[in-house]
């Protein structure tokens, strides 16, 4: 029996008829079929219930005839039963399913970056002008020894300490894991190109690395996740580093599911699974039920890569992250990747995305502190992900103790994404989170990678400006330097966890 | 779980200063006048809230004993009794005496200062640690556990004299011009921006026979401090100088790295310079930065570090604080200002201003000769 949907439209499509020239661009641009031309009436029609607010049509309309805005129509105001809660509930009553969503947590949990401020030099300590003096952002990811032993051997000074592999990056910003499959080939390639041009890294995510893109391997962190998609010796060895994915900030404790219809022949080749089959990533890694098991996988990967690559272990930021991280370092991880509450995703149950995990600021501060207390902070780098919006957030994270920052959403936004959260539908109008060739060809890797390089360049410049203001000319001197942070509008316990003083406290 | 109230760490000390160091590389000992006159010449670099000197070689009769110099704030005799009990329990005290002072000197609230020449008496488990580490631990105990007592210095055959006043006043108070002779003297005058004068807070800062005098404000303080904490150094005075002293102790005393290398850790060359080096040096410098990045000392600084046989000066990588070096026969000088060197030695053989990160090194000729080849290779590699 037909069941009518009781959903309210989320957006209003306002077409200013005096401007519209009926060119039908909006109709072609919208994969959600929000616009339609009717020949009989010689008129454009809108279907507001289909609009996701991605703004693609607005940007492409040649006459600026369109305005898309949140629908003002609402239920009786109710602080408890908000529009979103009612809509979600109705959707479930109509489908009986788990509500899916994409991108990151959009709830109002406190964003600590907005409650932390940075320092600058005045009088007692000169600030440095980054336009006139070198400012160094080069960062090394991987394990560092406690000390270096030097020996004079003949005419030479030799380092006799055994060194473990490190990867150098030119800015402490790395593209986070986004798999080919979750995002389009074009988007994936754009990330690879930009990372390689700027001298930083991208992360393949769990979907493998297409053979013809292995030339970007030097700039790739290759993931080994619970589905083990696309993992073979060449994949591991062409990389800069290997990452074991235990969890993801947007969906801690949850696996992944790439539906069969997205598994094209190319994706099937890269993931090494039959075409058209669902790509299922189990929730846990079924060979890791304990820290000893993790250690075995870490060393298996080190063996497979001849101890030439740092091995990262990525976890979602959860309540006891510090103890877990300490175990990971002892198990042999060279990099600890932490993904916070606001980390993005291609698809996740909304209830998980919005309710599980802790903010990255708190996880980072407590993990950094714990590793220092145990005297093992230098044994692993900390990479943090989940909710970075600008270079200020990045520098604050480094001052809290991160070695570098993973960015996902900012990279997507640079390529066109508008945070419409419909990644899980496979209809991304910006050609990013989709495998539909009609949509993906909208993204030109030459142009998209340039946008990404510009983003890295802009943020790096800004970081240099802020460092110069602090009188610091090398990023390592602000790493873990919480003296350069102060909290504003935070409670005592929050300041304690972050290990910073309140503004005005000296 | 009850939440305790937040304990704030004290604010870090900020200051600007004048520094001076002089060494007779033949090992001949001389009185304090050169250092005192040089410091006087730089009077404007201090504000009378702190001055001090270190001297190497003043106690030839007790050169095998640790010379523990202790100040008792306000002449607190209870503190003195507790320190003496403690020392007698943990050391063989070979001699003890009050440090002679001149009550006419222009100083404020001078404490009572005593010195003790001691040999460690380690018991049980303690026998496993070296004498040096034993002394460091005991000095920490006195500084943190006995109120109103503070150890000025604890090395063998060396001493630190410091306090609240201009350096020349402190020198007069301790009569440095007539009572002591040494082959190295360093001096310091302080311009603190925030701390009220406290005798223990003046420079030089000392652990064992290592002393540091320092000028500048370290922007990387938090990074440096938190790295050193991993190695068991807890900053209790919250001064940049303390951080430098601990870093020197960790790298030079414990990890045995020579100053040529340590100066490249504190003030490494820029990456663009490293890129232009030959492969071997490039790899060496890159590894140093990668491993010791947290000990890069950023922001303006100059310091002079001394220990037996060696004195060296260093300025930051972009040379935001001044240091000048001079040589006259066996003498080597280093100072915040050229004028103060010329004031005490007008007819110099050589005077130069080193680049940022390039150490000025004064070593006893006899040591220099002993490791000549090694030294040359180090110097070449880390030039
Ligand atoms: S793109 Fe703009 S001008 Fe073209 S049909 Fe749509 S609304 Fe009209
Ligand atoms: S990637 Fe595409 S579908 Fe996902 S939020 Fe961005 S614009 Fe929307």
């Amino acid at each position: 029996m037909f069941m009518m949907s009781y959903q309210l439209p989320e957006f209003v499509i306002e077409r200013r008829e005096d401007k519209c020239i009926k060119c039908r661009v909006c109709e072609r641009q919208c994969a959600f079929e929000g616009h339609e031309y009717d020949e009989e009436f010689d008129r454009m029609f809108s279907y507001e219930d289909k609009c996701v607010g991605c703004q693609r049509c607005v940007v492409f309309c040649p006459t600026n005839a369109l305005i898309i805005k949140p629908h003002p129509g609402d239920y009786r105001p109710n602080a408890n039963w908000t529009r979103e809660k009612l809509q979600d509930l109705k959707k479930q009553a109509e489908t009986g399913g788990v509500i899916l969503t994409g991108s990151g947590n959009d709830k109002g949990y406190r964003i600590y970056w907005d409650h932390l401020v940075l320092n600058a030099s005045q009088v007692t300590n000169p600030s440095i002008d980054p336009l006139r003096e070198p400012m160094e952002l080069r960062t090394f990811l991987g394990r560092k020894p406690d000390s270096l032993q030097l020996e004079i051997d003949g005419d030479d000074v030799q380092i006799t300490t055994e060194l473990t592999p490190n990867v150098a990056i030119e800015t402490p910003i790395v593209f986070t894991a986004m798999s080919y499959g979750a995002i389009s080939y074009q988007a994936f390639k754009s990330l690879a190109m930009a990372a390689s041009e700027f001298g930083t890294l991208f992360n393949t995510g769990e979907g493998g690395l297409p053979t013809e893109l292995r030339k970007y391997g030097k700039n790739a962190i290759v993931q080994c996740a619970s589905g083990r998609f696309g993992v073979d010796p060449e994949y591991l060895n062409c990389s800069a580093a290997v990452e074991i994915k235990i969890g993801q900030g947007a969906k801690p404790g949850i696996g992944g599911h790439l539906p069969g219809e997205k598994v094209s022949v190319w994706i099937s080749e890269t993931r090494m699974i039959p075409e058209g089959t669902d790509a299922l990533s189990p929730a846990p890694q079924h060979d890791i039920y304990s820290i000893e098991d993790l250690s075995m996988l870490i060393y298996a990967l080190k063996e497979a890569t001849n101890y030439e690559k740092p091995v990262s272990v990525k976890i979602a930021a959860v309540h006891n992250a510090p103890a877990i991280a300490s175990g990971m370092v002892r198990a042999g991880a060279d990099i600890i990747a932490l993904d916070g509450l606001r980390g993005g995703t291609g698809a996740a149950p909304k209830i998980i995305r919005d309710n599980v995990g802790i903010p990255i600021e708190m996880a980072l501060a407590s993990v950094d502190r714990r590793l220092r207390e145990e005297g093992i902070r230098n044994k692993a780098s900390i990479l943090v992900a989940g909710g970075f919006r600008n270079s200020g957030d990045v520098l604050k994270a480094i001052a809290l103790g991160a070695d570098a920052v993973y960015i996902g959403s900012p990279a997507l936004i640079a390529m066109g994404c508008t945070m419409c959260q419909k990644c899980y539908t496979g209809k991304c109008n910006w050609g990013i989170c989709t495998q539909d060739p009609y949509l993906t060809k909208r993204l030109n890797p030459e142009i998209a990678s340039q946008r990404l390089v510009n983003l890295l360049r802009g943020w790096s410049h800004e970081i240099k400006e802020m460092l110069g203001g602090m009188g610091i000319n090398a990023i390592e001197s602000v790493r873990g330097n919480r003296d350069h942070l102060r909290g504003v509008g935070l409670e005592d316990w929050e300041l304690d966890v972050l290990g910073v003083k309140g503004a005005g406290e000296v | 779980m009850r939440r305790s109230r937040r304990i704030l760490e004290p604010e870090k000390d900020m200051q600007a200063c004048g520094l001076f160091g002089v060494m007779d590389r033949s090992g001949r000992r001389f009185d304090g006048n050169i250092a005192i006159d040089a410091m006087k010449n730089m009077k404007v670099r201090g504000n009378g809230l702190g001055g001090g000197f270190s001297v190497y070689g003043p106690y030839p009769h007790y050169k095998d004993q640790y010379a523990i110099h202790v100040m008792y704030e306000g002449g607190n005799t209870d503190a003195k009794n507790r320190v003496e009990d403690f020392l007698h329990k943990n050391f063989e005290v070979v001699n003890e005496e009050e440090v002679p002072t001149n009550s006419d000197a222009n100083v404020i609230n001078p404490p009572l200062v005593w010195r003790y020449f001691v040999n460690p008496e380690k018991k049980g488990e303690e026998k496993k640690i070296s004498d040096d580490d034993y002394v460091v631990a005991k000095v920490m105990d006195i500084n943190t556990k006995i109120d109103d007592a503070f150890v000025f210095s604890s090395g063998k055959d060396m001493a630190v004299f410091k306090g609240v006043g201009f350096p020349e006043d402190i020198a007069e108070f301790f009569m440095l011009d007539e009572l002591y002779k040494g082959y190295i003297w360093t001096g310091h005058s302080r311009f603190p921006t925030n701390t009220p004068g406290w005798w223990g807070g003046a420079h030089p800062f000392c652990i064992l026979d290592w002393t540091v005098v320092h000028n500048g404000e370290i922007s990387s303080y938090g990074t440096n401090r938190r790295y050193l904490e991993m190695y068991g150094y807890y900053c209790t005075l919250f001064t940049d100088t303390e951080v430098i002293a601990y870093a020197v102790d960790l790298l030079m005393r414990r990890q045995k790295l020579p100053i040529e290398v340590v100066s490249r850790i504190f003030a490494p060359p820029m990456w663009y310079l490293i890129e232009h080096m030959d492969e071997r040096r490039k790899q060496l410098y890159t590894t140093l930065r990668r491993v010791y990045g947290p000990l890069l000392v950023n922001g303006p600084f100059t310091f002079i570090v001394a220990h037996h046989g060696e004195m060296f000066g260093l300025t930051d990588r972009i040379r935001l604080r001044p240091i000048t070096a001079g040589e006259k026969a066996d003498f080597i000088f280093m100072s915040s200002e050229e004028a103060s060197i010329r004031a005490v030695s007008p007819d110099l053989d050589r005077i130069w201003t080193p680049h940022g990160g390039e150490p000025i090194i004064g070593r006893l000729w006899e040591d220099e000769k002993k490791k000549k080849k090694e030294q040359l290779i180090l110097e070449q590699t880390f030039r």
Side-chain angles (χ1 to χ4, degrees):
Chain A
M1 217 195 295
F2 172 76
M3 192 197 281
M4 188 185 163
S5 171
Y6 296 160
Q7 303 284 313
L8 291 182
E10 286 189 85
F11 294 92
V12 178
I13 302 178
E14 198 180 307
R15 190 185 319 274
R16 292 179 284 183
E17 300 292 349
D18 56 329
K19 293 195 168 190
C20 176
I21 52 170
K22 297 167 215 161
C23 69
R24 301 177 68 176
V25 161
C26 49
E27 184 187 30
R28 286 192 297 278
Q29 290 298 325
C30 187
F32 295 93
E33 299 170 343
H35 304 276
E36 196 180 52
Y37 176 69
D38 190 308
E39 290 201 23
E40 215 176 308
F41 293 94
D42 183 28
R43 229 195 99 181
M44 299 298 302
F45 284 90
S46 319
Y47 299 95
E48 293 189 333
D49 54 322
K50 296 193 171 155
C51 179
V52 300
C54 82
Q55 307 287 352
R56 176 88 186 178
C57 56
V58 176
V59 172
F60 279 76
C61 170
T63 61
N64 284 329
L66 288 167
I67 298 170
I68 308 277
K69 55 189 179 194
H71 204 297
D74 203 349
Y75 304 103
R76 171 180 289 277
N78 186 324
N80 193 28
W81 286 102
T82 57
R83 185 187 211 263
E84 184 189 355
K85 296 255 170 9
L86 277 155
Q87 293 281 92
D88 284 353
L89 200 145
K90 284 178 192 299
K91 208 179 283 172
Q92 278 184 306
E94 285 159 20
T95 61
V98 169
I99 298 179
L100 289 180
T101 187
S103 73
N105 190 324
D106 59 3
K107 296 292 165 286
Y109 296 105
R110 174 164 278 182
I111 297 169
Y112 288 93
W113 306 130
D114 295 338
H115 292 267
L116 288 168
V117 288
L118 290 159
N119 196 25
S121 303
Q122 302 286 292
V123 184
T124 55
N125 181 344
S127 45
I128 305 170
D129 184 347
L131 296 176
R132 305 170 68 175
E133 307 261 0
M135 281 286 156
E136 304 185 316
L137 301 186
R138 185 173 299 170
T139 295
F140 290 88
L141 299 177
R143 181 172 291 244
K144 320 280 187 293
D146 287 337
S147 63
L148 275 188
Q149 237 111 48
L150 298 181
E151 226 175 68
I152 298 181
D153 177 20
D155 290 340
D156 221 2
V157 181
Q158 299 278 353
I159 297 170
T160 51
T161 309
E162 207 189 316
L163 292 171
T164 41
N166 272 217
V167 190
I169 48 178
E170 296 307 323
T171 190
I173 308 168
V174 174
F175 297 129
T176 197
M178 289 178 278
S179 70
Y180 171 37
I183 60 172
S184 63
Y185 184 86
Q186 285 79 350
F188 189 82
K189 184 174 177 189
S190 307
L191 291 165
M193 287 167 66
S196 140
E197 185 179 334
F198 203 82
T200 183
L201 305 173
F202 73 106
N203 187 314
T204 61
E206 59 170 323
L209 181 61
T211 338
E212 71 283 4
L213 296 185
R214 301 226 163 147
K215 60 173 186 258
Y216 298 111
K218 288 195 304 307
N219 296 88
I221 300 178
V222 299
Q223 248 189 10
C224 172
S226 62
R228 294 291 197 293
F229 300 120
V231 178
D232 69 8
E234 193 200 301
Y235 168 75
L236 297 175
N237 280 293
C238 76
S239 72
V242 181
E243 182 168 272
I244 299 171
K245 178 195 172 183
I246 301 292
Q248 187 178 339
K251 42 179 175 177
I254 297 285
H257 178 185
L258 189 69
E261 50 273 23
K262 286 197 185 168
V263 181
S264 62
V265 53
W266 301 284
I267 291 186
S268 98
E269 259 170 36
T270 308
R271 294 207 172 204
M272 304 176 188
I273 53 169
E275 192 183 337
T277 53
D278 288 6
L280 288 168
S281 311
Q285 301 234 4
H286 279 300
D287 51 0
I288 303 179
Y289 287 176
S290 69
I291 199 87
E292 313 86 87
D293 293 346
L294 173 69
S295 188
M296 291 206 304
L297 182 59
I298 291 174
Y299 282 95
L301 291 170
K302 288 189 179 184
E303 284 287 337
T305 53
N306 197 26
Y307 293 84
E308 284 165 7
K309 321 273 177 199
V311 172
S312 163
V313 179
K314 176 178 174 181
I315 57 164
V318 289
H319 303 185
N320 53 346
I324 300 168
S326 149
M328 282 159 35
V329 177
R330 291 172 199 284
D334 304 305
I335 300 171
I336 304 294
L338 298 167
D339 192 7
L341 180 65
R342 291 185 299 273
T345 177
K350 189 162 182 271
I351 200 78
I352 305 270
R353 186 199 73 174
D354 291 351
N355 296 287
V356 183
I358 63 171
I360 191 61
E361 300 90 326
M362 297 319 217
L364 164 61
S366 54
V367 167
D368 176 71
R369 176 185 297 121
R370 171 67 77 94
L371 297 185
R372 283 172 193 275
E373 279 167 6
E374 298 187 5
I376 53 176
R377 177 64 185 83
N378 56 324
K379 296 203 182 343
S381 295
I382 300 179
L383 255 170
V384 285
F388 297 94
R389 303 152 304 166
N390 56 43
S391 58
D393 295 352
V394 173
L395 191 55
K396 289 171 191 175
I398 292 171
L400 270 186
D403 284 275
V405 161
Y406 262 144
I407 57 165
S409 300
L412 299 184
I413 293 169
M415 289 192 281
C417 163
T418 55
M419 295 274 105
C420 76
Q421 309 193 7
K422 296 293 170 192
C423 325
Y424 67 98
T425 62
K427 291 186 191 166
C428 175
N429 280 326
W430 295 90
I432 300 168
C433 262
T434 173
Q435 302 304 324
D436 178 346
Y438 178 73
L439 299 173
T440 59
K441 69 166 189 267
R442 296 175 176 182
L443 197 71
N444 176 339
E446 298 292 332
I447 297 170
S449 66
Q450 222 34 63
R451 299 180 78 100
L452 290 166
V453 167
N454 286 342
L455 167 76
L456 292 172
R457 185 169 296 133
W459 283 21
S460 301
H461 272 313
E462 289 175 347
I463 291 173
K464 290 178 179 182
E465 290 285 350
M466 289 182 277
L467 282 183
M470 292 179 191
I472 287 178
N473 57 13
I475 190 84
E476 55 259 49
S477 296
V478 80
R479 194 161 281 131
N481 199 340
R482 298 180 185 177
D483 295 20
H484 283 292
L485 291 172
R486 287 291 188 271
V488 177
L490 296 176
E491 306 271 343
D492 277 3
W493 73 266
E494 294 168 306
L495 293 170
D496 280 344
V497 173
L498 293 167
V500 302
K501 292 177 180 175
E505 284 181 333
V506 291
Chain B
M1 190 178 72
R2 268 199 55 214
R3 293 200 184 278
S4 53
R5 277 217 52 81
R6 232 150 48 85
I7 302 163
L8 288 184
E9 285 166 350
E11 183 187 12
K12 190 191 68 165
D13 216 18
M14 279 196 251
Q15 57 203 345
C17 314
L19 319 177
F20 182 81
V22 53
M23 174 178 192
D24 185 327
R25 289 171 287 187
S26 70
R28 232 170 307 133
R29 303 186 309 132
F30 53 96
D31 64 34
N33 283 308
I34 295 181
I36 297 166
D37 291 345
M39 292 312 299
K40 242 191 249 174
N41 186 271
M42 294 191 284
K43 189 152 189 161
V44 291
R45 300 191 75 86
N47 65 357
L49 285 182
F53 296 86
S54 72
V55 52
Y56 289 77
Y59 305 126
H61 302 301
Y62 297 106
K63 67 178 169 24
D64 296 324
Q65 278 75 41
Y66 290 92
I68 315 266
H69 290 65
V70 190
M71 68 158 238
Y72 302 107
E73 186 117 51
N76 187 331
T77 46
D78 176 51
K80 179 164 175 282
N81 291 337
R82 289 178 60 198
V83 168
E84 287 174 358
D85 275 356
F86 180 86
L87 288 174
H88 283 276
K89 228 175 266 158
N90 294 290
F91 295 92
E92 176 204 353
V93 180
V94 177
N95 192 6
E96 51 196 301
E97 63 189 8
E98 185 178 347
V99 173
T101 52
N102 171 2
S103 52
D104 294 338
N106 177 25
V107 293
I108 311 146
N109 293 332
L112 179 66
V113 184
W114 272 65
R115 64 184 158 224
Y116 308 86
F117 298 96
V118 303
N119 292 316
E121 257 175 9
K122 295 184 276 189
K123 294 170 219 55
E125 278 294 290
E126 293 169 343
K127 292 201 171 108
K128 287 192 202 136
I129 61 172
S130 70
D131 282 1
D132 279 355
D133 287 333
Y134 180 80
V135 172
V136 170
K138 298 300 168 200
V139 167
M140 284 274 181
D141 277 349
I142 297 177
N143 284 348
T144 52
K145 293 185 189 148
I146 304 180
D147 285 345
D148 290 340
F150 184 80
V151 177
F152 273 177
S153 68
S154 51
K156 291 178 183 172
D157 196 14
M158 58 80 65
V160 166
F161 301 102
K162 60 183 181 178
V164 178
F166 281 102
E168 60 267 32
D169 302 329
I170 301 300
E172 195 186 352
F173 180 66
F174 289 109
M175 299 178 277
L176 302 183
D177 52 341
E178 34 185 291
L179 294 186
Y180 305 94
K181 278 190 165 157
Y183 66 99
I184 300 175
W185 286 83
T186 65
H188 187 264
S189 112
R190 234 176 133 216
F191 197 133
T193 50
N194 54 358
T195 14
W198 173 58
W199 283 61
H203 299 204
F205 187 89
C206 174
I207 323 180
L208 297 169
D209 71 338
W210 294 81
T211 59
V212 180
V213 288
H214 158 257
N215 167 21
E217 176 170 343
I218 303 176
S219 325
S220 56
Y221 176 80
T223 301
N224 306 144
R225 176 175 61 87
R226 294 184 78 218
Y227 183 79
L228 290 164
E229 279 173 5
M230 288 213 304
Y231 295 86
Y233 296 94
Y234 293 92
C235 293
T236 50
L237 297 177
F238 293 90
T239 61
D240 291 334
T241 317
E242 194 180 18
V243 154
I244 289 174
Y246 292 156
V248 166
D249 189 64
L250 175 70
L251 297 173
M252 298 192 67
R253 188 175 67 84
R254 278 170 55 183
Q255 299 187 359
K256 308 230 169 346
L257 294 172
I259 179 59
E260 286 82 353
V261 175
V262 172
S263 57
R264 297 313 191 184
I265 291 173
F266 289 159
M270 296 286 167
W271 285 118
Y272 76 89
L273 292 173
I274 295 178
E275 248 128 56
H276 286 95
M277 294 175 176
D278 61 62
E279 263 321 300
R280 194 177 55 95
R281 292 173 73 220
K282 187 156 124 189
Q283 193 232 339
L284 220 48
Y285 276 84
T286 304
T287 311
L288 271 184
R289 284 197 70 175
R290 162 179 145 186
V291 173
Y292 289 113
L295 286 180
L296 191 164
V297 182
N298 220 310
F301 74 81
T302 307
F303 61 70
I304 298 172
V305 170
H307 65 130
H308 270 299
E310 193 174 58
M311 169 175 82
F312 50 84
L314 186 71
T315 180
D316 62 82
R317 59 203 308 236
I318 54 174
R319 204 163 59 186
L320 294 168
R321 287 285 151 97
I323 192 164
T324 299
E327 277 182 321
K328 172 72 190 171
D330 289 338
F331 278 99
I332 182 164
F333 304 93
M334 38 198 92
S335 172
S336 295
E337 293 185 10
E338 182 176 334
S340 74
I341 298 179
R342 292 204 183 271
V344 294
S345 181
D347 180 25
L348 290 160
D349 298 339
R350 183 179 166 221
I351 186 143
W352 76 100
T353 305
H355 289 293
E358 188 183 284
I360 313 164
I361 303 172
R363 270 195 197 103
L364 285 177
W365 294 132
E366 57 185 68
D367 293 344
E368 191 89 71
K369 265 183 230 131
K370 251 186 272 163
K371 12 180 214 182
K372 189 109 200 193
K373 172 148 189 265
E374 265 185 41
Q375 218 52 67
L376 277 177
I377 292 166
L378 272 175
E379 271 161 29
Q380 257 168 27
T381 313
F382 292 99
R383 194 179 38 219

